[in-house]
Amino acid sequence: MSEDIELKKTWLVFSVGDSKYALLSSDVKEIIRDVTVFPLPFVPSYINGILNRYGEPYAVIDPLPLLENKIQDSCLFIVLQGEAHVCLKISEIIEFHTVSNAEIKSFSNSDSGKYYIGSFDFEDSEVLILNSESFIEVVENDIEKS
């Protein structure tokens, strides 16, 4: 492979509240709307409950309380790939967007940025790339403490 070929990745750009975020498209299993979320007692505010996908329960995480200390009113979800069975509640799908690796600004592993792995420019704004694993870790840690 030639060194002058730029590596590119496709990202799903979406909004949570008023901010734009992205996930690697390969981390997205499906996007669903208007499904019943069954509330759970005694869970943190960012866990909205569970939803049923093909007979399997998926934990519904609203990232807005973790990112901006707000709660969103939405019925749109991104189901994440993997065995953790987690989905993120989002406000709106914007588009799938391809970005070269050179355009991605990486973040350090600081505690304030634990939910982000980097960013890229998109339509005159900065899109933060979410670290989906960090949301799963937060849920697992909070459930262990319960």
Side-chain angles (χ1 to χ4, degrees):
M1 187 159 86
S2 174
E3 287 183 32
D4 49 328
I5 295 177
E6 277 192 59
L7 294 177
K8 295 185 177 191
K9 293 181 181 173
T10 301
W11 301 88
L12 173 61
V13 179
F14 58 93
S15 65
V16 175
D18 296 328
S19 301
K20 292 178 185 168
Y21 300 98
L23 285 170
L24 196 57
S25 62
S26 60
D27 290 343
V28 176
K29 185 173 188 175
E30 67 181 316
I31 300 165
I32 54 176
R33 177 184 297 279
D34 296 328
V35 295
T36 302
V37 176
F38 300 95
L40 295 172
F42 314 113
V43 294
S45 63
Y46 66 86
I47 300 176
N48 290 167
I50 58 171
L51 57 82
N52 182 348
R53 295 307 298 151
Y54 311 109
E56 295 286 334
Y58 281 77
V60 177
I61 299 173
D62 182 352
L64 202 54
L66 295 169
L67 301 172
E68 299 179 23
N69 205 21
K70 299 177 186 175
I71 295 176
Q72 64 178 319
D73 182 29
S74 174
C75 56
L76 185 60
F77 309 92
I78 295 175
V79 180
L80 300 176
Q81 292 282 12
E83 295 180 23
H85 289 200
V86 170
C87 57
L88 298 178
K89 185 178 192 178
I90 64 168
S91 302
E92 178 185 11
I93 296 291
I94 297 172
E95 72 176 61
F96 285 93
H97 185 68
T98 302
V99 178
S100 72
N101 287 350
E103 296 175 79
I104 295 175
K105 300 170 216 152
S106 296
F107 291 173
S108 66
N109 290 340
S110 68
D111 193 41
S112 62
K114 71 179 178 179
Y115 297 116
Y116 313 112
I117 55 175
S119 68
F120 58 84
D121 294 326
F122 174 79
E123 296 181 352
D124 299 326
S125 64
E126 183 177 32
V127 173
L128 294 170
I129 300 170
L130 292 182
N131 179 356
S132 58
E133 290 297 317
S134 67
F135 291 99
I136 294 168
E137 287 174 16
V138 167
V139 171
E140 288 173 347
N141 289 338
D142 283 351
I143 289 174
E144 275 182 19
K145 292 176 187 175
S146 303

